[in-house]
Amino acid sequence: MSAVAVKSDLLNVAKKFGDVDTVVAEALRHYAIDQSVERIEAARVKIRGYEKKYGASYATFAHQVQTDAKFLRRIEAKHPLWEEDALEWKYRLDEVEEWTATLENILKR
Amino acid sequence: MDGNARKHFKAVTALALARLAQIHIVQDDITLSRAILEIHARWQSRDVRLKEIHTPSGNLYSYYVLQSGTVLIGFDNYPDTRVLKAKFGSDYRNHMGELVPHRHGRNKQSVELTEEMNAERFLDYLETFVDLE
């Protein structure tokens, strides 16, 4: 349990809804859920954009650029800055995984 | 991650503001375990694109200069088949996914392995690199 400073006017509002510790804990829980969902959705939008742009899943795309010189040349001709997409593509996939795990932990409590 | 990345991104942004024009911070997002910074800007008559990603498993970057959509010079450390083979030879398949710092030449017609690049060194490089025409 940690102590957090909360403005007294907000605290007074919270008290109207019941036990202040419970209300604050529940509010924080809702906030964490909302933020996690928002992060997951935003990352998924980016991932879908990359999948559409490159016509493949990240796993397929990453494998091909690392093993297939012809595929790499084709990608490079069409998307000369593909690397900046690829590094963010992986980043967003990891982000979805991380925030999904966070969300699941919150929901289990 | 949080404090260090914040300090680092602030420094990179300040550098970009000092040395580039028409700065557009596309994204600057930092959480406890990951961080991403993307800046688009102009240098002389060229487009400059900086992207950095910081995660516990490593830092990724791409620093590019373009003219009318054509790459003039670019540094990144994302692995592709050319750089993996250049670094690891026939054993490259055992190193897939490993970060490999490298530089692309004009229109990405050439590639060479490099030391790890960072935004400051990239901007220094721009100042001294005259063969961009």
Side-chain angles (χ1 to χ4, degrees):
Chain A
M1 192 69 76
S2 302
V4 178
V6 179
K7 285 184 179 174
S8 55
D9 54 343
L10 279 178
L11 206 56
N12 288 334
V13 174
K15 283 175 184 169
K16 292 183 180 181
F17 298 107
D19 172 61
V20 74
D21 286 340
T22 307
V23 170
V24 169
E26 194 56 24
L28 196 56
R29 183 174 182 273
H30 280 289
Y31 178 81
I33 290 169
D34 288 348
Q35 288 293 305
S36 299
V37 168
E38 203 174 290
R39 291 255 173 196
I40 291 165
E41 280 309 306
R44 281 185 177 155
V45 167
K46 290 247 182 185
I47 291 164
R48 282 197 293 271
Y50 291 131
E51 287 171 346
K52 189 175 177 188
K53 184 174 179 179
Y54 293 100
S57 67
Y58 176 77
T60 301
F61 177 85
H63 182 80
Q64 285 193 278
V65 293
Q66 291 180 79
T67 58
D68 184 342
K70 281 183 184 171
F71 178 82
L72 179 61
R73 279 197 295 275
R74 279 202 306 275
I75 289 293
E76 208 125 74
K78 199 171 176 186
H79 306 288
L81 296 181
W82 66 268
E83 290 96 334
E84 68 173 23
D85 287 342
L87 56 91
E88 184 171 348
W89 196 349
K90 174 72 165 62
Y91 176 87
R92 296 300 172 193
L93 284 164
D94 291 344
E95 191 179 30
V96 166
E97 202 172 296
E98 179 192 327
W99 286 109
T100 301
T102 301
L103 185 59
E104 283 172 356
N105 277 336
I106 298 166
L107 294 174
K108 265 190 249 171
R109 285 175 198 154
Chain B
M1 176 68 63
D2 194 0
N4 287 342
R6 199 170 298 282
K7 194 174 167 187
H8 174 73
F9 283 0
K10 200 174 169 185
V12 171
T13 304
L15 265 178
L17 285 165
R19 294 162 77 169
L20 302 171
Q22 298 178 41
I23 306 289
H24 172 48
I25 299 170
V26 179
Q27 47 186 338
D28 178 357
D29 184 41
I30 299 168
T31 63
L32 202 57
S33 57
R34 59 189 60 251
I36 183 167
L37 175 69
E38 181 175 8
I39 296 174
H40 294 179
R42 296 278 288 174
W43 179 74
Q44 298 182 353
S45 60
R46 290 97 180 195
D47 294 311
V48 175
R49 298 172 65 129
L50 311 175
K51 189 181 256 188
E52 288 192 6
I53 281 174
H54 294 230
T55 71
S57 59
N59 297 337
L60 293 102
Y61 61 82
S62 68
Y63 307 122
Y64 275 79
V65 182
L66 301 99
Q67 189 148 34
S68 306
T70 298
V71 170
L72 296 182
I73 195 87
F75 294 85
D76 70 80
N77 61 353
Y78 191 88
D80 66 40
T81 186
R82 284 167 311 194
V83 299
L84 285 169
K85 285 174 183 168
K87 184 165 184 181
F88 302 110
S90 59
D91 191 36
Y92 78 97
R93 280 179 180 267
N94 288 322
H95 296 273
M96 284 169 60
E98 291 185 23
L99 302 179
V100 183
H102 57 276
R103 181 179 80 159
H104 294 280
R106 177 183 289 273
N107 209 17
K108 300 186 93 173
Q109 292 301 301
S110 64
V111 63
E112 60 182 285
L113 302 183
T114 63
E115 295 295 311
E116 191 80 16
M117 183 54 87
N118 61 41
E120 185 173 10
R121 284 175 54 205
F122 170 69
L123 293 173
D124 285 345
Y125 181 88
L126 276 190
E127 299 292 336
T128 58
F129 191 72
V130 292
D131 188 28
L132 286 176
E133 295 300 332

